[in-house]
């Protein structure tokens, strides 16, 4: 949520910033801006996409080997040219970009007004840059010290980068609850919200920790301090992903690329961790926490959005196989309802980005209460990955499309492995069934590939229902969370209102909505409730609804009654979500495209929600 990029070194900063902003645009895309220092300070800001900023800048001067850039997802102040970042302090000396929210900005603003500061924008960021200016001026401090003192006075979340017009040889940056990475190149320093703008320049990075401030100089010094003024030693790591993984690679949209990557990403998640021939699953995170996991009173799963849906599937898996009670919580609600958590609880944190503020806040609370935390995270080195006691990465590679696809199947794959390995260790699953399931899990990538090959048929169905104002998704058992996920995918990228329901709940209310305009997407692969699902389909048909059924290969009975069917390969029922979600992803993608929506950057959304 909001992307930050900065450069200081021997090269011209503008092309680096511009390309970096394009890479970070998935984090926010309502306005963008850059600031460069050459002889003078130049700031360009524009409402809209990074492309609009680039067009606006056109042939204007972009000289300067130090600069900062920002792509915004508005929190305080509407998206327009004025509220776009970077923001300049009242005396025109300091310029700053910010990702996060300064919660006490109102009080700070009133105090700053009294000392002569004037404000042009409605943003909390303009307050922060003026606070730094005030402290720098009053106490005659170096920029990094003024930033440090200012940050002791703010409450909230931030990743910031600041430049001083009078000192074009220095960048100062800091973070708390919002990510920031320093790139250490041969030709200079880079700063960014994640590694994607950095990887083509250098693989050497330092992940800044919470409440750290870094000062970077043109002569190559990097100093890190905490806000409480303790010197830290930078820990240089290697960026692990390849540049191809953050490019579209011939696809029109990242979302389509990421949907199609799923056979490979699921295989990558299984690689080295599961061997069906030898009958083992090995997860070092589970091994390290095994006693606590096996003796836990309860598993609590926290996450948001799609990750929460993956958590719901894990609830079925854990209760079914491990026989430990599970609660799945919206991370945003968990914290505010005084939850009962004990030291014998294990909290599973599910997150693609590893930066979701609501999930992080829930984990902080769980930690405080003494629970152990297990992370199921995609982004290596992210804040959630660092706060957990143990965990496993899903290894899906960078997910750029705002609608999560390959991260979801990665999360479900990993959670399935965790459930099966714990069940095996606990003896709550028979050896034969365990072997059967892991053999089948190994086959999932091939089966996902078979569903992807139905793309043309799914596109045809998308055309038939693209004008519907509403849609209903129904599923039972393991397919109920998939119905929720299908509805979320449709609403977030096509702006069609959609609801997911347990199929049997339909008759308790939603059935009133059904008429000939209502497409009802029914997940109809469950062997365990087959007859009941057929009854649900008949109930929809009897009221004129159009049924699109996701069925098992060769199912003739549902084919007879549904308007459209999409056949998917048979698998063990607990593994179905990994396959049944694929047609729903493709259906949403095609509908959104046909409706002229930007599938990678849906309105009002941003990837990596770093504000609560
Ligand atoms: C939906 C989507 C969001 C995220 C949610 C959590 O397609 O992407 O609902 O799943 O914001 O994000 P992470 O997984 O990064 O914590």
């Amino acid at each position: 949520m909001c992307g930050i990029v900065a450069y200081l070194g021997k090269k011209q900063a503008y092309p680096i910033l511009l390309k970096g902003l394009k890479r970070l645009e998935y984090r926010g895309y309502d306005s963008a801006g850059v600031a460069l220092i050459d002889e003078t300070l130049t700031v360009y800001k524009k409402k809209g996409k990074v492309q609009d900023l680039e067009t606006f800048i056109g042939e204007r001067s972009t000289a300067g080997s130090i600069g900062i850039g920002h792509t915004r997802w508005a929190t305080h102040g509407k998206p327009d040219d004025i509220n776009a970042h970077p923001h300049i302090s009242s005396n025109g000396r300091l310029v700053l970009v910010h990702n996060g929210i300064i919660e006490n900005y109102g009080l700070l603003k009133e105090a700053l007004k009294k000392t002569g500061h004037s404000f042009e924008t409605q943003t909390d960021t303009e307050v922060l840059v003026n606070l730094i200016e005030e402290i720098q001026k009053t106490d005659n401090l170096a920029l990094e010290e003024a930033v440090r003192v200012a940050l002791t006075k703010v409450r909230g979340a931030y990743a910031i980068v600041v430049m001083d017009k009078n000192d074009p040889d220095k960048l100062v940056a800091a973070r708390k609850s919002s990510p920031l990475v320093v790139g250490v190149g041969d030709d200079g320093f880079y700063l960014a919200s994640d590694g994607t703008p950095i990887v083509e320049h250098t693989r050497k990075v330092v992940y800044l920790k919470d409440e750290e401030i870094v000062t970077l100089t043109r002569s190559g010094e990097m100093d890190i301090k905490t806000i409480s003024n303790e010197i830290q030693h930078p820990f240089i790591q290697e960026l692990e992903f390849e540049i191809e993984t953050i490019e579209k690679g011939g696809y029109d949209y990242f979302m389509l690329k990421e949907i199609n990557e799923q056979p490979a990403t699921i295989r990558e998640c299984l690689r080295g961790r599961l061997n069906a021939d030898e009958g083992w699953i090995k997860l070092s995170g589970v091994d390290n926490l095994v006693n606590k996991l096996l003796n836990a009173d309860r598993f609590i799963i926290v996450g948001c959005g799609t990750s929460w849906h993956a958590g719901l599937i894990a609830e079925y898996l854990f209760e079914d196989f491990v026989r430990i009670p599970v609660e799945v919580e919206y991370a945003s609600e968990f914290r505010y309802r005084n939850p009962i958590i004990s030291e014998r609880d294990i909290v599973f944190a599910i997150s693609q980005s590893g930066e979701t503020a609501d999930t992080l806040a829930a984990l902080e609370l769980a930690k405080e209460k003494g629970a152990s935390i297990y992370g199921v995270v995609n982004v290596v080195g992210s804040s959630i990955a660092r706060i957990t006691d143990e965990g496993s990465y899903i290894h899906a590679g960078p997910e750029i499309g705002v609608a999560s696809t390959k991260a979801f199947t990665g999360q479900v794959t990993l959670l399935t492995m965790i459930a099966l390995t714990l069940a095996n260790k606990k003896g709550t699953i028979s050896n034969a069934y365990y072997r059967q399931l892991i053999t089948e899990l190994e086959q999932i990538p091939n089966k996902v590939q078979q569903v992807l090959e139905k793309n043309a048929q799914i596109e045809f169905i998308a055309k038939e229902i693209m004008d519907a104002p509403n849609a209903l998704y129904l599923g039972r058992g393991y397919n109920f969370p998939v119905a929720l996920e299908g509805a979320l995918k449709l609403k977030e990228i096509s702006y069609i209102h959609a609801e997911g329901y347990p199929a049997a709940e339909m008759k308790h209310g939603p059935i009133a909505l059904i008429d000939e305009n209502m497409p009802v997407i029914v997940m109809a692969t469950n062997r365990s409730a087959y007859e009941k699902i057929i009854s649900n389909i008949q109930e929809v048909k009897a009221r004129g609804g159009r049924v699109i059924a996701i069925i098992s290969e060769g199912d003739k009975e549902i084919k007879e009654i549904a308007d459209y069917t999409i056949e998917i390969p048979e698998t063990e029922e607990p593994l179905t979500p990994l396959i049944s979600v694929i047609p729903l992803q493709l259906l949403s993608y095609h509908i959104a495209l046909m409706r002229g929506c930007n599938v990678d950057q849906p309105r009002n959304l941003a990837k990596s929600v770093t504000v609560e």
Side-chain angles (χ1 to χ4, degrees):
M1 189 156 268
C2 296
I4 288 178
V5 60
Y7 175 72
L8 166 63
K10 296 187 188 127
K11 299 199 269 193
Q12 284 296 294
Y14 177 65
I16 296 169
L17 300 185
L18 195 69
K19 195 155 184 203
L21 289 181
K22 287 183 180 166
R23 294 242 191 260
L24 289 173
E25 205 166 18
Y26 71 94
R27 300 178 65 90
Y29 33 82
D30 60 42
S31 52
V34 292
L36 300 150
I37 308 176
D38 194 31
E39 307 277 276
T40 63
L41 169 68
T42 312
V43 178
Y44 299 115
K45 317 200 281 186
K46 207 71 204 143
K47 179 180 173 186
K49 304 266 159 93
V50 177
Q51 183 59 57
D52 298 310
L53 175 73
E54 186 178 9
T55 309
F56 168 72
I57 294 175
E59 298 302 310
R60 291 177 164 92
S61 164
T62 55
S65 55
I66 178 170
I68 59 180
H70 188 270
T71 177
R72 181 170 186 242
W73 184 87
T75 56
H76 294 68
K78 62 180 189 235
D80 60 19
D81 293 355
I82 299 199
N83 287 328
H85 298 214
H87 289 284
I88 308 178
S89 65
S90 304
N91 66 7
R93 204 176 137 178
L94 303 185
V95 57
L96 178 146
V97 286
H98 168 218
N99 166 23
I101 291 181
I102 305 302
E103 286 166 8
N104 57 338
Y105 83 106
L107 284 174
L108 293 168
K109 191 170 185 173
E110 288 317 306
L112 286 163
K113 276 186 189 163
K114 289 188 188 128
T115 55
H117 292 263
S118 56
F119 294 89
E120 283 183 2
T121 79
Q122 292 115 44
T123 65
D124 49 342
T125 306
E126 194 186 17
V127 174
L128 181 56
V129 72
N130 277 289
L131 177 66
I132 299 169
E133 179 204 285
E134 180 63 25
I135 292 167
Q136 184 187 41
K137 216 165 55 184
T138 315
D139 300 332
N140 196 20
L141 297 177
L143 178 62
E144 57 274 29
E145 187 55 12
V147 169
R148 190 186 71 75
V149 176
L151 293 179
T152 61
K153 299 184 188 304
V154 305
R155 248 195 355 259
Y158 51 78
I160 56 167
V161 188
V162 200
M163 303 191 294
D164 182 342
K165 186 173 86 171
N166 296 352
D167 186 359
D169 297 327
K170 187 190 280 180
L171 281 175
V172 177
R175 70 153 276 179
K176 185 181 175 202
S177 305
S178 292
L180 203 55
V181 187
V182 184
V184 185
D186 295 335
D187 50 43
F189 288 114
Y190 302 79
L191 278 156
S193 300
D194 63 39
T196 58
I198 297 177
V199 68
E200 64 199 88
H201 306 289
T202 175
R203 286 195 165 274
K204 284 196 261 169
V205 290
V206 176
Y207 292 97
L208 228 50
K209 298 200 192 87
D210 262 357
E211 306 209 339
E212 283 186 348
I213 303 168
V214 63
T215 308
L216 306 167
T217 67
R218 196 175 287 281
S219 53
E221 283 142 31
M222 167 166 43
D223 293 315
I224 303 184
K225 269 187 179 181
T226 62
I227 288 169
S228 43
N229 215 7
E230 287 153 15
I231 294 171
Q232 304 294 303
H233 298 290
F235 172 51
I236 297 185
Q237 289 174 263
E238 285 267 311
L239 276 178
E240 282 184 4
F241 58 89
E242 300 303 323
I243 191 129
E244 302 81 67
T245 62
I246 53 169
E247 305 206 311
K248 286 192 193 139
Y251 286 94
D252 290 338
Y253 289 93
F254 279 110
M255 183 181 178
L256 187 60
K257 178 185 176 226
E258 288 157 6
I259 290 173
N260 278 284
E261 276 174 351
Q262 289 174 106
T265 51
I266 296 172
R267 236 175 242 124
E268 191 54 28
C269 184
L270 298 173
R271 196 162 62 88
R273 292 165 159 174
L274 177 146
N275 187 318
D277 290 339
E278 293 173 16
W280 53 256
I281 294 173
K282 188 156 178 49
L283 292 161
S284 52
V286 169
D287 289 345
N288 297 341
L289 205 64
V290 73
N291 286 334
K292 281 198 171 166
L293 282 162
L294 293 178
N295 295 305
D297 282 345
R298 198 171 45 147
F299 291 167
I300 301 170
I301 302 178
V302 294
C304 304
T306 290
S307 296
W308 183 77
H309 296 155
L312 287 180
I313 294 170
E315 178 180 25
Y316 286 75
L317 290 163
F318 287 151
E319 293 203 341
D320 214 357
F321 297 127
V322 196
R323 309 302 296 152
I324 287 181
V326 179
E327 278 170 36
V328 189
E329 303 270 359
Y330 281 117
S332 54
E333 285 299 312
F334 184 62
R335 185 177 174 210
Y336 293 103
R337 62 168 185 76
N338 195 13
I340 300 163
I341 312 168
S342 88
E343 286 169 11
R344 290 175 55 89
D345 290 332
I346 305 280
V347 176
F348 283 84
I350 307 183
S351 177
Q352 186 287 127
S353 62
E355 301 294 346
T356 301
D358 289 321
T359 309
L360 259 174
L363 297 183
E364 273 155 17
L365 176 74
K367 246 193 142 124
E368 235 171 68
K369 307 243 178 191
S372 300
I373 318 260
Y374 197 101
V376 172
V377 173
N378 190 30
V379 177
V380 176
S382 54
S383 304
I384 293 176
R386 285 204 303 256
I387 198 180
T388 54
D389 296 290
E390 281 301 336
S392 313
Y393 286 114
I394 64 171
H395 295 311
E399 189 178 67
I400 313 280
V402 164
S404 188
T405 53
K406 63 176 181 173
F408 175 77
T409 46
Q411 291 162 346
V412 175
T413 304
L414 191 58
L415 289 159
T416 307
M417 281 195 283
I418 296 173
L420 292 179
T421 193
L422 288 176
N424 188 43
K425 286 178 197 300
K426 207 171 170 207
T428 44
I429 188 171
S430 73
N431 196 40
Y433 191 33
Y434 168 76
R435 295 288 294 245
Q436 198 175 320
L437 282 169
I438 66 174
T439 304
E440 189 53 28
L441 191 52
E442 206 173 43
Q443 288 310 310
I444 293 291
N446 298 337
K447 295 192 173 179
V448 168
Q449 186 58 47
Q450 289 170 38
V451 183
L452 292 171
E453 282 154 22
K454 307 219 172 227
N455 184 42
Q457 187 206 348
I458 297 168
E459 189 175 357
F460 171 81
I461 298 172
K463 204 161 181 191
E464 298 291 298
I465 59 171
M466 63 172 275
D467 291 321
N470 298 289
L472 203 56
Y473 286 71
L474 303 178
R476 301 182 84 111
Y478 280 99
N479 268 327
F480 161 54
V482 180
L484 295 180
E485 175 59 7
L488 177 63
K489 285 293 87 96
L490 188 69
K491 59 190 150 195
E492 71 183 327
I493 62 170
S494 73
Y495 319 138
I496 295 176
H497 172 242
E499 298 284 345
Y501 266 94
E505 270 295 301
M506 183 183 62
K507 58 186 174 296
H508 298 287
I511 200 163
L513 294 167
I514 292 175
D515 60 16
E516 58 285 357
N517 297 320
M518 175 72 98
V520 183
I521 295 95
V522 184
M523 316 304 297
T525 57
N526 313 50
R527 272 176 248 151
S528 58
Y530 187 72
E531 300 302 329
K532 296 214 165 60
I533 289 170
I534 292 188
S535 305
N536 296 141
I537 294 176
Q538 296 287 17
E539 285 154 15
V540 174
K541 288 304 303 169
R543 284 151 188 91
R546 281 184 294 169
V547 172
I548 297 103
I550 313 298
I551 58 171
S552 299
E553 248 161 20
D555 182 333
K556 295 206 177 60
E557 198 170 345
I558 298 184
K559 225 174 190 169
E560 287 282 302
I561 43 176
D563 296 83
Y564 308 97
T565 51
I566 303 167
E567 291 186 39
I568 62 170
E570 281 244 40
T571 187
E572 293 293 334
E573 198 161 316
L575 308 182
T576 312
L578 289 166
I579 307 180
S580 61
V581 74
I582 309 292
L584 306 191
Q585 296 171 343
L586 282 170
L587 196 64
S588 303
Y589 169 81
H590 288 299
I591 292 174
L593 212 60
M594 287 168 191
R595 289 167 66 98
C597 305
N598 183 339
V599 295
D600 278 346
Q601 295 174 351
R603 69 181 180 208
N604 304 338
L605 287 172
K607 198 132 185 108
S608 190
V609 185
T610 53
V611 294
E612 276 185 64

